[in-house]
Amino acid sequence: MDDDRAVLGELLPRLTRLSELLSRGRLFEQVLESAGLALERPAITVLVTLHRAGGPLRVGEIATRMQVAGPHVTRHVQGLERRGLVRRVEDPADQRARLIEATPAGADAAERYLSVLLGWLSDALAGWPRQDRQDLVRLLGRLLDDVHDRVAAAAGGEPEPPLS
Amino acid sequence: MDDDRAVLGELLPRLTRLSELLSRGRLFEQVLESAGLALERPAITVLVTLHRAGGPLRVGEIATRMQVAGPHVTRHVQGLERRGLVRRVEDPADQRARLIEATPAGADAAERYLSVLLGWLSDALAGWPRQDRQDLVRLLGRLLDDVHDRVAAAAGGEPEPPLS
DNA sequence: TATTGTTATACTCTATAACTATA
DNA sequence: TATAGTTATAGAGTATAACAATA
């Protein structure tokens, strides 16, 4: 199984590079720039979340879908509101809640962002055989599931390992 | 080519999930915890960088390899030095520079970290056919190269697109 | 004058705690 | 009393600018 070790040894730097490309390497930030959008990443994520939902969402629901804490959403919604990209309307069903709704400009921003991002991915994969593209998506999905499971196992079943 | 669109549409959420798993989902932070290391991620990255180099490196060289700004490295090296994980020795060839050298404890930390991380990856891929593993590494590498090129193209050849 | 590293400062992302308004 | 959201605060990661020491 030397071969397996070798494959693992190559996987690690790739994951590291991917992490850099996605988070600090700022793929998403550069897409924003290229789309002419002067928005922070969490802000566009709010807009994309609303876009995917196809309608207004509560602040708490946005936070859940983005998997972040509430105040984080509050802040970025405020910024988006100042820029006229979302509106905050009262929830008729609950006076405590606020429904966040994309304005036409906000919906347009989300669409432009997604369009540039998909365009870039499309360009990147342009020369790929169809089979490779399908394999990539399939294997990446499985990797995510399996790594997620492994991480969950470590978090759950490992109550401070003994020193022995 | 509807098929291609569909594949792209699936790739995007996977990249998003991966980004979350790696950066905010804190895969690396959880590995640190599981390895019993009370270190920040940049700090362990410094140690791993030294480990890979196989010997002392200058602050600037560490920054280059980590692709971060100099002061960032300075700060984390200071923390590592306080914890006895690295030593700062003078560069005999250049009195301006400082060579950063892992102590035995620092080398041990890097090894434990890598060992846990590789173990997790190994577990995650345990049930995979060998061919799938090899394909994953190959396709992931190509994806990184191609996306990198596409991003570079956007950064280089796109001097503020006209409004038309 | 150019380079290495450090100090000072600031910004982004995100979290938790405390609080307000409503249920 | 519980819930939705906001305000206040804090900490990690990282960048740039100004500066010191040495080349």
Side-chain angles (χ1 to χ4, degrees), chain B residues 7-28:
Chain B
V7 169
L8 278 179
E10 286 185 63
L11 182 56
L12 190 49
R14 275 168 180 70
L15 288 181
T16 305
R17 274 184 65 200
L18 198 50
S19 176
E20 277 161 11
L21 180 67
L22 293 173
S23 45
R24 211 167 38 67
R26 306 178 325 282
L27 169 63
F28 298 119

Side-chain angles (χ1 to χ4, degrees), chain A residues 58-72:
Chain A
R58 290 175 168 206
V59 169
E61 179 61 24
I62 296 172
T64 300
R65 295 191 188 202
M66 287 176 63
Q67 302 194 77
V68 296
H72 189 59

Side-chain angles (χ1 to χ4, degrees), chain B residues 28-37 39-41 44 113:
Chain B
F28 298 119
E29 279 79 356
Q30 292 196 252
V31 169
L32 279 168
E33 195 178 320
S34 180
L37 297 168
L39 292 173
E40 307 83 39
R41 211 218 282 198
I44 192 67
Y113 172 79

Side-chain angles (χ1 to χ4, degrees), chain A residues 25-82:
Chain A
R26 308 179 323 282
L27 169 63
F28 299 118
E29 279 80 355
Q30 292 196 252
V31 168
L32 280 168
E33 196 178 318
S34 181
L37 297 168
L39 292 173
E40 307 83 38
R41 211 219 281 199
I44 192 66
T45 306
V46 168
L47 290 178
V48 168
T49 302
L50 291 172
H51 183 265
R52 284 210 190 102
L57 292 176
R58 290 175 168 206
V59 169
E61 179 61 24
I62 296 172
T64 300
R65 295 191 188 202
M66 287 176 63
Q67 302 194 77
V68 296
H72 189 59
V73 173
T74 293
R75 171 155 3 148
H76 284 286
V77 162
Q78 286 166 343
L80 287 168
E81 194 176 24
R82 270 198 304 279

Side-chain angles (χ1 to χ4, degrees), chain B residues 70-145:
Chain B
H72 190 59
V73 173
T74 292
R75 177 167 344 161
H76 284 286
V77 161
Q78 286 166 344
L80 287 167
E81 195 177 24
R82 269 198 304 280
R83 286 180 269 201
L85 299 175
V86 303
R87 260 191 303 269
R88 192 190 315 248
V89 302
E90 280 175 10
D91 186 339
D94 186 340
Q95 289 306 309
R96 293 170 304 182
R98 295 283 174 277
L99 286 177
I100 311 304
E101 178 184 46
T103 63
D108 180 62
E111 276 156 30
R112 258 191 301 158
Y113 172 79
L114 288 172
S115 159
V116 170
L117 181 51
L118 283 174
W120 284 19
L121 287 181
S122 177
D123 290 348
L125 302 190
W128 289 41
R130 169 165 305 184
Q131 184 63 53
D132 279 356
R133 286 186 237 189
Q134 290 173 351
D135 284 346
L136 174 68
V137 169
R138 175 176 61 89
L139 297 172
L140 213 44
R142 190 132 64 93
L143 177 71
L144 284 164
D145 290 341

